Amino acid sequence: MAEKKRFRVFATSRIGDAAENRLREQGYDLEVFQGPEAPPRALIIEKVKSGIDALITTLRDRIDAEVFEAGKGTLKVVSQIAVGFDNINRADANKYKIPFTNTADVLTEATAEFGFFIMGVLARKMYSSEKLVREQKWPSWHPFLPFLGDEVTGKTIAIIGTGRIGLAMIKKCAGFDMNILCYDPAYQNHEYVAAIQETMDLRHERGVQKEKTWIKYVEVEEALRGADYVSIHVPLLREGETDKPTYHFINEKTLKLMKPTAYLINTSRGPVVDEKALAKALKEGWIAGAGLDVFEKEPLPADSPLLDPEIADRCRVFHHFASGATITRLDIDPNKGMAGRTAQAMIDVLEENYGGDVTKMPYVVNKEAFKEVATDR
Ligand code: GLV
């Protein structure tokens, strides 16, 4: 019997003991860049050129024609540990017919809950409160001094982007008796919105929530003008990639539509927000605050206007951490953990699971590159 081919894999980052062991137990020859920073691009190209069968990538690695060309005839799959893949050039992957995979679904709830918690931290001024205590500047309990926060319960939120994570955020906000304005430039899920409205009505009827609440799709202006909180959940799409780009969706113009008492939360992609415009808006009081988990440039540079001490009380910043919960990141079960899904996605392609039909593999993103072109007979 012919000996099974020992596949070679290069990972640009560690993905945890469990998933790495799973790949080794599968018989793969796995080499892992130990990081914690991303490997130089030249190293990735060199590894791909050396004939590896599979590449594990993170959002930090630019994967484009140069990489695919280096892997021509040998590279069989790129397995990305993230739901987003704006670092991977889809057209190039398709041209070279190399499938790439992502980790959608498993990080949906974790990302949405992080966005939800950012909203609370911002609104209730938890950072300023803790700072006061730590710096021994808490004089005594007082009805309103030295500051007050704002409630989340009963307020109105605009959900910008109603894909998986936006819908999960809606579910959490509904539980806090919030009214919900939905806007999505590309995809609307009216069935989900109707189901949420039914649960809102039932909660009110059965006395679980005092006030009646509502949810509806609206145009962008109405969403931004009407919201106490604006939470962003769109993918990053640049000019030329789509007729509805999301690059700098939040800019001077859209910030000026928001209420001066409103807060912005971004757990999607940094470049969706024009950071210079946002820093100006925070400084000049166009909006009350912002909480960001993602930035135009990551890590956030020391000279970012968002780090200006003058706005530190109203600008919360986090280290692209929304999916950063233990099970979500590392669980070996592909239905629970990003690492598990990354490993399984790669195994599916290398082992030719699903009869070797890439279009049937659940974690492959660019299925369109492998669909038979229908021919007229
Ligand atoms: C994180 O931002 C991801 O895309 O998984």
Side-chain angles (χ1 to χ4, degrees):
M1 215 169 77
E3 212 182 299
K4 191 180 166 225
K5 179 173 166 24
R6 188 167 160 81
F7 290 117
R8 284 178 55 220
V9 180
F10 179 66
T12 67
S13 158
R14 292 218 49 206
I15 59 167
D17 288 338
E20 289 168 21
N21 288 341
R22 166 97 174 82
L23 293 173
R24 292 199 169 104
E25 280 156 19
Q26 189 73 30
Y28 300 169
D29 180 356
L30 172 67
E31 187 188 345
V32 181
F33 185 78
Q34 297 296 318
E37 74 288 357
R41 181 169 165 81
L43 181 66
I44 299 177
I45 306 265
E46 180 195 312
K47 294 293 173 191
V48 173
K49 236 184 206 153
S50 78
I52 57 164
D53 299 279
L55 182 64
I56 293 175
T57 55
T58 73
L59 290 164
R60 308 168 304 176
D61 312 312
R62 183 162 49 85
I63 304 300
D64 56 13
E66 195 186 357
V67 176
F68 295 124
E69 179 65 30
K72 213 170 161 179
T74 47
L75 185 65
K76 295 170 187 64
V77 58
V78 173
S79 193
Q80 164 114 330
I81 183 159
V83 59
F85 46 82
D86 36 288
N87 58 311
I88 300 178
N89 188 312
R90 187 173 189 147
D92 290 348
N94 289 356
K95 196 168 121 211
Y96 284 86
K97 286 218 174 308
I98 295 180
F100 69 89
T101 66
N102 75 344
T103 61
D105 297 320
V106 288
L107 47 66
T108 299
E109 299 296 335
T111 305
E113 80 173 19
F114 198 81
F116 190 84
F117 296 150
I118 290 181
M119 174 163 66
V121 164
L122 249 184
R124 300 300 299 270
K125 298 194 167 45
M126 292 189 198
Y127 170 84
S128 302
S129 167
E130 184 171 350
K131 198 159 169 280
L132 205 69
V133 176
R134 288 189 178 280
E135 293 176 359
Q136 293 282 294
K137 290 184 181 151
W138 176 25
S140 71
W141 190 93
H142 186 279
F144 56 85
L145 291 177
F147 49 74
L148 292 175
D150 292 312
E151 295 80 0
V152 167
T153 304
K155 294 289 181 73
T156 298
I157 186 164
I159 303 289
I160 308 296
T162 56
R164 288 185 193 84
I165 299 171
L167 296 183
M169 180 73 165
I170 285 174
K171 183 173 56 168
K172 295 178 196 324
C173 293
F176 267 65
D177 306 350
M178 298 185 86
N179 293 306
I180 305 171
L181 295 162
C182 307
Y183 170 73
D184 194 305
Y187 166 80
Q188 306 199 334
N189 192 331
H190 291 281
E191 210 178 310
Y192 190 93
V193 161
I196 293 286
Q197 184 65 63
E198 277 175 40
T199 62
M200 287 171 159
D201 293 345
L202 182 64
R203 281 163 57 101
H204 180 251
E205 265 166 49
R206 301 288 297 271
V208 175
Q209 64 181 59
K210 244 199 263 166
E211 306 291 334
K212 243 178 164 328
T213 51
W214 45 260
I215 177 168
K216 58 184 176 184
Y217 272 105
V218 292
E219 288 305 322
V220 64
E221 267 207 38
E222 189 178 342
L224 296 175
R225 281 190 202 282
D228 302 303
Y229 300 91
V230 172
S231 188
I232 312 285
H233 303 282
V234 290
L236 171 61
L237 296 168
R238 295 177 193 270
E239 203 75 54
E241 290 174 357
T242 167
D243 56 346
K244 296 194 175 82
T246 57
Y247 176 78
H248 281 190
F249 169 83
I250 295 292
N251 52 42
E252 287 209 9
K253 192 165 151 234
T254 45
L255 283 162
K256 280 189 173 149
L257 294 175
M258 289 172 63
K259 297 183 194 176
T261 49
Y263 297 90
L264 175 74
I265 299 113
N266 187 17
T267 51
S268 65
R269 281 292 178 265
V272 173
V273 174
D274 176 348
E275 289 173 3
K276 239 169 86 187
L278 176 61
K280 187 170 170 198
L282 291 172
K283 215 167 202 172
E284 296 181 6
W286 307 356
I287 65 170
L292 309 165
D293 185 44
V294 286
F295 302 93
E296 296 203 61
K297 187 162 191 301
E298 296 178 8
L300 187 62
D303 63 353
S304 164
L306 295 171
L307 293 178
D308 184 340
E310 221 185 287
I311 55 169
D313 62 339
R314 65 209 95 130
C315 185
R316 302 277 57 79
V317 287
F318 302 97
H319 70 289
H320 202 144
F321 194 39
S323 64
T326 310
I327 291 171
T328 303
R329 283 276 170 90
L330 297 184
D331 203 278
I332 189 61
D333 181 344
N335 291 313
K336 291 191 180 146
M338 295 163 69
R341 188 163 282 212
T342 302
Q344 188 58 50
M346 168 184 297
I347 291 169
D348 283 348
V349 177
L350 294 181
E351 304 296 331
E352 300 185 3
N353 292 342
Y354 301 90
D357 184 347
V358 172
T359 66
K360 295 207 171 88
M361 296 179 191
Y363 314 137
V364 169
V365 175
N366 58 334
K367 292 189 171 73
E368 70 278 6
F370 304 90
K371 293 214 164 99
E372 297 272 327
V373 181
T375 50
D376 290 331
R377 295 184 186 215

